[in-house]
Amino acid sequence: MIRSARRCGRALRVLALGCVVAWWPGCKKEEAAASVTPDAGAPAVAVRDVGSQDAGTAAPVKKPLRFSDVRLARKSVLVKVTYTLTNPGTAQGRGDACLSLHDDQGLVIKAMKLGGITVKGSTSDTFEDEVGVSDVYWKQAQTVLLYTTAAYDCSSGAPKATSELFQLLPTGQPAPAGTLEPKAPEASNAEDFTVSNVRVSQKGDSDDYSITYVVKNLSTRRVSGTGCLRAYVTAGARFLEETPVGDFSLRPGSSETVTDAVVFDDDKHWDEVTALRLFTSPYGCADEADAENAGFAFDKPREIHAPVEGVDAEGYGNEEGEDLSGMDASDDYDTGPAPLGMGMAPQSPEDAGGGSRASSAK
């Protein structure tokens, strides 16, 4: 189940990378207040009406949504964002809340969806979201940008925003005056990247495979991309398996060590594969191999093979009939029903892990 979820997440990531990121100059944030009406003649950004669901509409918003009471905290790879959205207009605002990371030049490092939002006209609502952000991106971020868009438009950036743009520092503090406006990096090409020190490994006899490689930006601008590992029965044949393996955003001339899991659709194919090829490009596995992107070819390490049935990453087996309780025949325990009154109390929705991402509307 974990491996399937991981593959699904990767597939969504490839689709997201296929979107074109476009940005307009942002504006300095203002304190959000339901009683304040934006200047109808000078909207913060030119975007579609917050109440419109017509993807073709691009009318300026006279009263865009506003962020306030923003709190940001990062623990491990999770970034928790709490924020209030105020809708000063009469039309309902709905879509997605978005977060993007920017470098010291204001260039986009990574854009991602926080969660869906709905705010009725002339009301406010508070939301709490979590999103995973790897160290590869977070350590490069100089500013963080919050905005809202119509559904599935986060990667389109400021031109599709339905809110004012709210800039802050990775520490959670407001961005100081004079902070550079967010803007898109130039488009990248496969020839902008080169890879080295490629290593593929397997933990014991398990189905836990990983790849580590160094990717370098050969260009004079910031470029972003993702890796794609393709596996072949013989060199020159059509690939038998392909899987995304890490994404990255690199400053001019910089390099990064990328480590990621390798997930095949069928792990038994590891016994058939003899040749591997790592590609790096703007769209990873969405890009076809060609003369401009021949990839980095190498032989599959001889010690890597299909997983042994019932063996986990630590090398422990789980043979049929094996007792995993940690008890042996000498342990005396009662497997009968619990006495009346000794059962577990029913869980509340909160105890069971329930709850919603938004608090009550104001």
Side-chain angles (χ1 to χ4, degrees), residues 20-21 184-189 192 219 221-224 282-283:
V20 177
V21 179
E186 296 180 45
S188 57
N189 305 299
D192 293 330
S219 75
R221 63 196 188 284
R222 174 176 284 279
V223 290
S224 300
Y283 309 117

Side-chain angles (χ1 to χ4, degrees), residues 211-253:
I211 185 171
T212 298
Y213 60 93
V214 176
V215 58
K216 183 174 182 179
N217 176 6
L218 301 177
S219 75
T220 58
R221 63 196 188 284
R222 174 176 284 279
V223 290
S224 300
T226 189
C228 176
L229 183 67
R230 292 187 171 112
Y232 308 82
V233 175
T234 57
R238 176 172 173 76
F239 64 83
L240 183 63
E241 292 274 359
E242 69 171 8
T243 180
V245 284
D247 44 15
F248 39 82
S249 181
L250 302 168
R251 295 173 63 102

Side-chain angles (χ1 to χ4, degrees), residues 116-354:
I117 58 99
T118 299
V119 187
K120 294 181 179 180
S122 303
T123 67
S124 298
D125 207 351
T126 299
F127 299 84
E128 182 177 288
D129 291 301
E130 279 189 341
V131 63
V133 183
S134 71
D135 288 336
V136 171
Y137 298 124
W138 189 256
K139 69 184 181 183
Q140 300 183 61
Q142 298 299 307
T143 57
V144 177
L145 181 70
L146 296 177
Y147 58 98
T148 66
T149 66
Y152 314 114
D153 267 352
C154 284
S155 61
S156 297
K160 299 295 182 70
T162 54
S163 71
E164 295 183 350
L165 308 183
F166 192 100
Q167 285 183 305
L168 63 160
L169 302 177
T171 59
Q173 299 299 311
T179 298
L180 292 176
E181 296 175 340
K183 53 184 180 291
E186 296 180 45
S188 57
N189 305 299
E191 55 266 31
D192 293 330
F193 309 105
T194 184
V195 297
S196 60
N197 299 338
V198 182
R199 300 187 303 279
V200 175
S201 60
Q202 176 184 12
K203 285 189 177 180
D205 292 328
S206 73
D207 62 355
D208 192 342
Y209 304 89
S210 64
I211 185 171
T212 298
Y213 60 93
V214 176
V215 58
K216 183 174 182 179
N217 176 6
L218 301 177
S219 75
T220 58
R221 63 196 188 284
R222 174 176 284 279
V223 290
S224 300
T226 189
C228 176
L229 183 67
R230 292 187 171 112
Y232 308 82
V233 175
T234 57
R238 176 172 173 76
F239 64 83
L240 183 63
E241 292 274 359
E242 69 171 8
T243 180
V245 284
D247 44 15
F248 39 82
S249 181
L250 302 168
R251 295 173 63 102
S254 68
S255 60
E256 186 72 50
T257 298
V258 178
T259 299
D260 203 0
V262 178
V263 183
F264 281 1
D265 285 330
D266 185 352
D267 285 332
K268 293 180 181 178
H269 284 156
W270 278 110
D271 283 343
E272 301 178 53
V273 167
T274 64
L276 298 167
R277 192 177 291 265
L278 174 64
F279 297 85
T280 49
S281 70
Y283 309 117
C285 290
D287 280 347
E288 295 293 333
D290 53 31
E292 286 73 32
N293 189 18
F296 181 89
F298 59 103
D299 294 332
K300 184 197 75 173
R302 287 181 295 178
E303 66 272 16
I304 293 182
H305 53 78
V308 175
E309 190 73 24
V311 175
D312 62 20
E314 283 70 40
Y316 295 105
N318 181 16
E319 298 179 1
E320 185 176 355
E322 181 182 357
D323 181 9
L324 299 180
S325 66
M327 308 178 78
D328 58 31
S330 64
D331 292 310
D332 185 15
Y333 59 96
D334 184 7
T335 59
L340 292 177
M342 295 296 288
M344 293 181 63
Q347 289 182 309
S348 67
E350 290 78 13
D351 293 335

Side-chain angles (χ1 to χ4, degrees), residues 67-152:
F67 284 88
S68 63
D69 301 326
V70 176
R71 296 188 296 278
L72 182 150
R74 185 170 190 258
K75 184 176 181 180
S76 184
V77 297
L78 290 178
V79 175
K80 180 179 178 180
V81 188
T82 305
Y83 54 94
T84 296
L85 280 173
T86 298
N87 184 355
T90 56
Q92 184 183 66
R94 53 193 180 273
D96 288 332
C98 314
L99 178 148
S100 58
L101 307 178
H102 301 259
D103 67 9
D104 55 359
Q105 302 300 310
L107 294 171
V108 180
I109 297 171
K110 181 76 171 177
M112 61 208 86
K113 171 183 172 179
L114 287 175
I117 58 99
T118 299
V119 187
K120 294 181 179 180
S122 303
T123 67
S124 298
D125 207 351
T126 299
F127 299 84
E128 182 177 288
D129 291 301
E130 279 189 341
V131 63
V133 183
S134 71
D135 288 336
V136 171
Y137 298 124
W138 189 256
K139 69 184 181 183
Q140 300 183 61
Q142 298 299 307
T143 57
V144 177
L145 181 70
L146 296 177
Y147 58 98
T148 66
T149 66
Y152 314 114

Side-chain angles (χ1 to χ4, degrees), residues 37-45 47 49 59-64 88:
T37 301
D39 183 355
V45 287
V47 293
D49 189 327
V61 173
K62 295 181 180 180
K63 297 181 180 180

